Amino acid sequence: MSTDIRKVLSELYPCRSDFIGKLCDLLLESLPHVLYVYGHSGTGKTVILRDLLRLMGKNTNFKTSYVNCIECYSTKVLLENILNDLCSIEGVNINCENVNQFTEFLKCFYTKPTHTSLIMVLDQAERLRDMDGNVLPSLMRLQELTGLNVCAVLVGQISFEKYYVANGLPELVTLNCGQYTKCEILHILSNHFDAARNNLKDYIIQHQLDKNDMQEKLHIVENITIEFFNNYLNIFLYVFHKACRDLPELKNTADVCFISYMKPVLSREVDIMDAQKLWRSITPTLRTALTQIYMRYDNPYELKCSSDNEIQKIARSFELPFYGKYLLIAAFLASHNSANADKRLFVKHHGKKRKRLQDVNAKAKVFEKTSAAIGPKTFTIDRLLAIFYAILDEKVGLTCNLLSQISTLVQLKLLSFVSNENNIMDGSARLQCTVGLEFVVFIGNVVGFNIRQYLCDFM
Amino acid sequence: ATKRVGTPKRNIHMSNIVEEMIFDKQDVLSTPKLKSKRSLAFGKEKDIEKILLEVTPKKPVEETPKRVQRSNSKYVKDSETPKTPSQKLKMIRSGELTPSFKEREGIEHSKLSKNDLQLARERLHVSVVPLSLPCREKEFENIYTFLEGKINDKCGGCMYISGVPGTGKTATVTGVIRALQKQVQEDMLPAFDYLEINGMRLTEPRQAYVHIYRQLTGKTVAWEHAHALLEKRFMTAAPRRITTVLIVDELDILCNRRQDVVYNLLDWPAKTAACLVVVTIANTMDLPERVLMGKVTSRLGLTRLTFQPYTHKQLQEIVTGRLGGSEAFKGEAIQLVARKVAAVSGDARRALDICRRATEIADSSKGKEICVNILHVQQALSEMIASAKVQAIKRCSRLEQILLQAIAAEVTRTGVEETYFMGVYTQFESIANFVGGILVPNTGQVLRLCSKLGAERLIICEHTRNDIFQKILLNVSTDDIHYALRVTPEATQ
């Protein structure tokens, strides 16, 4: 049986035969107390374990359970989920409040000396550290507590050193799931050759209405060889391997880029064998795709052209009122200038200042001291309003409409409270501006206000 | 206090029912039960002491009007086993069933088969309370005259007894009660009721009412009900009311925030109808001034008595008194125990425990001596007083020892007790390189060592999720580390 499972899994998941072998050795014979499987995201931990559990579930000697700890916001939910998988009786609601009841339940349910092995997989096990203090230690000692052949398989992305609590934990078996090398990624992606071809066909059928043309294009697609696809993948990985090794992400992007790779071939501008020209035509696409990695956009066939500036689009989507815009600009200035420069910047008749050598030296720009490197500073509402009145040429009354716009900006997450948000009225609350320079420059252009004049970093 | 008289609560805990086991050495201190059919175990062991003790005082049965119990003869005949759990609970609550322990099946060893050391060990057990406590004659006299006066005058009163643990407070008080009960039997003294509660045996301060009421009538009721009934009993005058002596042990546990229980217990003696004498026992001398409210302190009064810790001479006298002239101990051995214990706490229990351990060591020694000498006592003392931390550091793995040294080095470097893992790790690296021959482990492995030492409480550290920023405190003194690691043979090479 174990050899069957191994064979099936190794065929499904290439380049993981070592990991699958170790896992089967551990879980199919006599179970360890607890097993910790860890590795980066996208290395196939969860999917392999779930398939292993599915294959084991066909055998009657195994009872398996898979729980994702993020779903379990309390201990009760976690334990009941596990029990529902392991001790499912038709039409019985399992009620389990604590770990003690959980162990008693397992003991009672498996009283007969059956040879059943219980395996519970807890995915995202990092969350167990935030649950009640007794959950993790007791899951690690379930064999002692119940006297059954039971094993908790914890799956996480961090090494087990981060789990140790003040009272100590028992020793355990850890199993690392390493990242794929470049060759392995190439091998796995080239297994998706058929899927990429079908994807391309769907794209043609959706976007072409001319029948003859479509037949020809489909014919071209049919004739794509696996070598051609591997060449493409080589080019693709040459660009992407430095930036990202997350397999699902790479697979997604490779599918999208393959369509734009084939476009010149389909429109017969480039011959299918001319690798040079194809490389030249795909380069800009790959470059834009590289900037948009990990951003899953809706259209599976097209890459977004990022000629339009993203931040400006976001800024345009905030349709702030006139005074609201000025308040935001004032908040940005308050956050990015030091308070002792306020007088010189905003007061009209601030008097002459004699130049001294130490002032000149003090003004010398050191990048580490600019607000771009340090980040925004905090300010009080009084200072915000003072700057607001200084940069606004007209005289407006300090009405409740004006003050309510401050709280609106906070709700829109353009400003945020840093401290004392409960006593805003007595002036001790401190705020911070949370938008970048580009955003504010755009807003300033809309109202015709040049911000760079008022920023110490640009003087 | 509410005067709500409700039905007794359904959920009743066995812990509130099962009284503590009474050793048959002191078996006079019984409380009046409803249907107590106590048979005395005469003729088992013909000890003169026992025969003197085993005369239960015939207390005049109280004539309090009792409610006629609902007869449940339809279901349960008296002295017949109950059929359902609820019937059983009802019988337990009404006091018809007395809790009993399972009898042991094996036969007890006869006294003749025991050697001198075993006899000494039995006599040295803490639970064997002698008839009259040695070195406590003055305190005995003090309490005796107080209680005797109160019983003769038929008036209420309070007394506060304090002293550190193991100085014979409770034993002296129960000894006084026993002596008074003997006086009652000889008709030298009017009869009195004796009740006792212990704060540590109560789940909640208000359970005190339940315990007192159960000792008066044998019935178990809810605390509100018990409180109302006790109020009625102590507030209203009744003919032929006899004095009640109430011993309250561990008084500080009964002090909750409102202090209503303590107030009631000390307020009842002030009522003329009550005839209640309350003797309160606690550890701290200034408890009334420190914890209790002013009105409670004033009701407690100024009749106070403090038990001083035993001096080494007194401890010696206690142990020799226990041994009763047997030759199991050498004189200087007892003296050593007495001096060591008196220097630390003056706790008689500790002295007795050390002596018992010494007899065990002497028993297991190869020489088969029938005498405990000073070496055995030395070993027992080192077991009971010695620091386990040095032993633990000596038994640590090599890397753990280096880690402890690294923490100590970081503390001396920064001058602050609280160190960060980062600094400790750099120290660890330098020490490991200095020692040589050690492959320096990475931070993850050292974090594991840290958590292991933290679980053993040799250091105090946070959860390891804080990684290199976790704070580490030494839980042992740096001298202990140096002492433990300097004496090891590896370090001298």
Side-chain angles (χ1 to χ4, degrees), chain B residues 294-339:
Chain B
K295 58 184 179 188
V296 182
T297 311
S298 78
R299 278 173 174 74
L300 190 58
L302 294 171
T303 318
R304 298 194 188 174
L305 179 63
T306 307
F307 280 62
Q308 298 297 339
Y310 288 114
T311 61
H312 71 91
K313 277 184 184 147
Q314 289 173 324
L315 284 172
Q316 222 171 314
E317 200 178 322
I318 289 168
V319 176
T320 43
R322 286 294 183 103
L323 290 169
S326 84
E327 291 299 310
F329 263 84
K330 284 246 167 60
E332 66 265 26
I334 298 175
Q335 197 177 354
L336 178 65
V337 173
R339 281 180 185 279

Side-chain angles (χ1 to χ4, degrees), chain A residues 238-377:
Chain A
Y238 172 77
V239 176
F240 272 86
H241 189 253
K242 277 181 190 164
C244 160
R245 285 161 204 198
D246 186 19
L247 197 68
E249 198 61 39
L250 285 175
K251 203 165 91 29
N252 249 323
T253 321
D255 283 353
V256 174
C257 291
F258 188 57
I259 292 170
S260 41
Y261 185 75
M262 287 301 292
K263 267 183 189 167
V265 178
L266 292 177
S267 58
R268 294 180 205 69
E269 291 163 14
V270 183
D271 183 50
I272 197 163
M273 300 309 287
D274 194 348
Q276 274 276 309
K277 271 193 175 170
L278 280 176
W279 162 242
R280 234 172 270 140
S281 69
I282 189 67
T283 310
T285 317
L286 288 182
R287 206 176 289 134
T288 49
L290 194 58
T291 60
Q292 291 179 13
I293 201 158
Y294 293 117
M295 296 187 190
R296 300 279 175 98
Y297 286 120
D298 316 342
N299 192 344
Y301 304 118
E302 296 277 349
L303 279 171
K304 272 225 168 105
C305 283
S306 58
S307 62
D308 204 349
N309 193 339
E310 288 294 323
I311 292 177
Q312 288 198 1
K313 278 183 70 180
I314 294 169
R316 203 171 292 145
S317 70
F318 274 107
E319 294 192 349
L320 294 170
F322 182 72
Y323 293 137
K325 287 185 174 119
Y326 265 103
L327 272 172
L328 185 61
I329 292 165
F332 186 83
L333 292 175
S335 257
H336 291 266
N337 288 331
S338 64
N340 52 21
D342 279 354
K343 187 182 169 196
R344 211 175 53 74
L345 284 171
F346 302 113
V347 179
K348 280 213 169 62
H349 308 290
H350 52 75
K352 273 252 191 309
K353 209 176 174 205
R354 286 178 48 207
K355 261 194 181 166
R356 289 187 307 189
L357 190 63
Q358 50 178 299
D359 291 342
V360 176
N361 288 341
K363 272 207 191 123
K365 286 280 169 292
V366 184
F367 174 74
E368 280 73 27
K369 287 184 182 172
T370 57
S371 70
I374 299 170
K377 303 178 190 69

Side-chain angles (χ1 to χ4, degrees), chain B residues 100-143:
Chain B
S100 61
F101 277 99
K102 195 164 179 281
E103 291 288 328
R104 192 172 283 184
E105 286 164 9
I107 313 114
E108 277 190 35
H109 289 291
S110 67
K111 270 201 162 178
L112 297 173
S113 65
K114 291 173 181 171
N115 69 11
D116 220 357
L117 277 174
Q118 276 171 320
L119 283 177
R121 198 175 313 142
E122 275 182 18
R123 286 196 190 129
L124 285 170
H125 199 282
V126 182
S127 66
V128 184
V129 183
L131 265 180
S132 62
L133 284 187
C135 322
R136 285 287 177 239
E137 291 82 11
K138 254 172 63 190
E139 285 85 354
F140 185 94
E141 197 56 40
N142 208 324
I143 303 170

Side-chain angles (χ1 to χ4, degrees), chain B residues 253-324:
Chain B
I253 309 292
L254 290 175
C255 301
N256 49 1
R257 203 175 48 79
R258 284 186 62 203
Q259 302 189 2
D260 51 343
V261 177
V262 190
Y263 177 83
N264 277 325
L265 290 183
L266 298 177
D267 192 33
W268 287 330
K271 305 280 179 287
T272 43
C275 294
L276 180 67
V277 187
V278 180
V279 179
T280 54
I281 306 175
N283 285 340
T284 44
M285 201 192 297
D286 58 347
L287 178 99
E289 284 73 29
R290 204 166 39 84
V291 179
L292 297 175
M293 297 179 194
K295 58 184 179 188
V296 182
T297 311
S298 78
R299 278 173 174 74
L300 190 58
L302 294 171
T303 318
R304 298 194 188 174
L305 179 63
T306 307
F307 280 62
Q308 298 297 339
Y310 288 114
T311 61
H312 71 91
K313 277 184 184 147
Q314 289 173 324
L315 284 172
Q316 222 171 314
E317 200 178 322
I318 289 168
V319 176
T320 43
R322 286 294 183 103
L323 290 169

Side-chain angles (χ1 to χ4, degrees), chain B residues 260-465:
Chain B
D260 51 343
V261 177
V262 190
Y263 177 83
N264 277 325
L265 290 183
L266 298 177
D267 192 33
W268 287 330
K271 305 280 179 287
T272 43
C275 294
L276 180 67
V277 187
V278 180
V279 179
T280 54
I281 306 175
N283 285 340
T284 44
M285 201 192 297
D286 58 347
L287 178 99
E289 284 73 29
R290 204 166 39 84
V291 179
L292 297 175
M293 297 179 194
K295 58 184 179 188
V296 182
T297 311
S298 78
R299 278 173 174 74
L300 190 58
L302 294 171
T303 318
R304 298 194 188 174
L305 179 63
T306 307
F307 280 62
Q308 298 297 339
Y310 288 114
T311 61
H312 71 91
K313 277 184 184 147
Q314 289 173 324
L315 284 172
Q316 222 171 314
E317 200 178 322
I318 289 168
V319 176
T320 43
R322 286 294 183 103
L323 290 169
S326 84
E327 291 299 310
F329 263 84
K330 284 246 167 60
E332 66 265 26
I334 298 175
Q335 197 177 354
L336 178 65
V337 173
R339 281 180 185 279
K340 282 276 183 190
V341 174
V344 178
S345 63
D347 186 341
R349 291 182 198 133
R350 197 161 180 85
L352 292 173
D353 281 339
I354 292 172
C355 290
R356 291 188 70 227
R357 181 65 199 142
T359 58
E360 282 167 12
I361 292 168
D363 230 357
S364 61
S365 66
K366 299 257 190 313
K368 278 293 160 208
E369 309 166 60
I370 301 299
C371 191
V372 179
N373 61 27
I374 205 154
L375 290 174
H376 300 143
V377 170
Q378 284 258 351
Q379 197 180 330
L381 276 168
S382 67
E383 274 179 23
M384 290 188 121
I385 298 178
S387 104
K389 283 179 176 175
V390 175
Q391 298 297 321
I393 297 170
K394 276 185 180 173
R395 302 286 188 285
C396 275
S397 74
R398 194 79 191 84
L399 286 176
E400 283 166 0
Q401 290 174 353
I402 291 177
L403 181 59
L404 283 169
Q405 281 176 309
I407 297 168
E410 180 70 9
V411 169
T412 48
R413 187 183 72 87
T414 54
V416 189
E417 292 287 306
E418 209 173 57
T419 59
Y420 284 93
F421 180 84
M422 224 184 328
V424 170
Y425 184 69
T426 48
Q427 294 280 356
F428 182 92
E429 277 178 316
S430 58
I431 292 175
N433 286 325
F434 177 74
V435 171
I438 293 174
L439 188 66
V440 181
N442 61 25
T443 42
Q445 286 160 322
V446 179
L447 275 172
R448 277 181 59 186
L449 294 178
C450 248
S451 72
K452 188 165 176 292
L453 289 176
E456 289 165 355
R457 291 292 181 275
L458 289 174
I459 61 175
I460 297 168
C461 58
E462 295 177 308
H463 196 289
T464 51
R465 59 174 17 166

Side-chain angles (χ1 to χ4, degrees), chain B residues 11-148:
Chain B
N11 54 350
I12 192 160
H13 300 289
M14 286 306 283
S15 60
N16 298 346
I17 294 163
V18 179
E19 294 285 293
E20 81 284 5
M21 209 173 127
I22 297 174
F23 287 94
D24 58 2
K25 281 263 159 98
Q26 357 156 233
D27 88 359
V28 181
L29 301 167
S30 64
T31 52
K33 296 245 168 60
L34 252 195
K35 297 183 181 178
S36 59
K37 302 188 183 109
R38 309 201 49 211
S39 60
L40 295 178
F42 270 114
K44 268 194 179 177
E45 293 178 42
K46 294 285 182 198
D47 260 355
I48 293 169
E49 300 175 1
K50 280 190 65 98
I51 292 176
L52 277 177
L53 280 180
E54 283 180 350
V55 189
T56 40
K58 302 274 188 300
K59 294 190 196 64
V61 182
E62 284 180 339
E63 297 297 326
T64 47
K66 294 192 186 76
R67 278 176 56 198
V68 183
Q69 285 197 21
R70 249 190 338 186
S71 69
N72 40 15
S73 55
K74 247 195 329 190
Y75 316 103
V76 185
K77 289 195 179 67
D78 204 11
S79 81
E80 193 185 296
T81 49
K83 288 176 185 60
T84 61
S86 60
Q87 282 176 2
K88 190 175 178 182
L89 261 184
K90 198 173 277 180
M91 286 177 76
I92 289 175
R93 278 203 213 97
S94 63
E96 291 168 50
L97 287 176
T98 46
S100 61
F101 277 99
K102 195 164 179 281
E103 291 288 328
R104 192 172 283 184
E105 286 164 9
I107 313 114
E108 277 190 35
H109 289 291
S110 67
K111 270 201 162 178
L112 297 173
S113 65
K114 291 173 181 171
N115 69 11
D116 220 357
L117 277 174
Q118 276 171 320
L119 283 177
R121 198 175 313 142
E122 275 182 18
R123 286 196 190 129
L124 285 170
H125 199 282
V126 182
S127 66
V128 184
V129 183
L131 265 180
S132 62
L133 284 187
C135 322
R136 285 287 177 239
E137 291 82 11
K138 254 172 63 190
E139 285 85 354
F140 185 94
E141 197 56 40
N142 208 324
I143 303 170
Y144 187 89
T145 46
F146 171 80
L147 283 178
E148 193 186 28

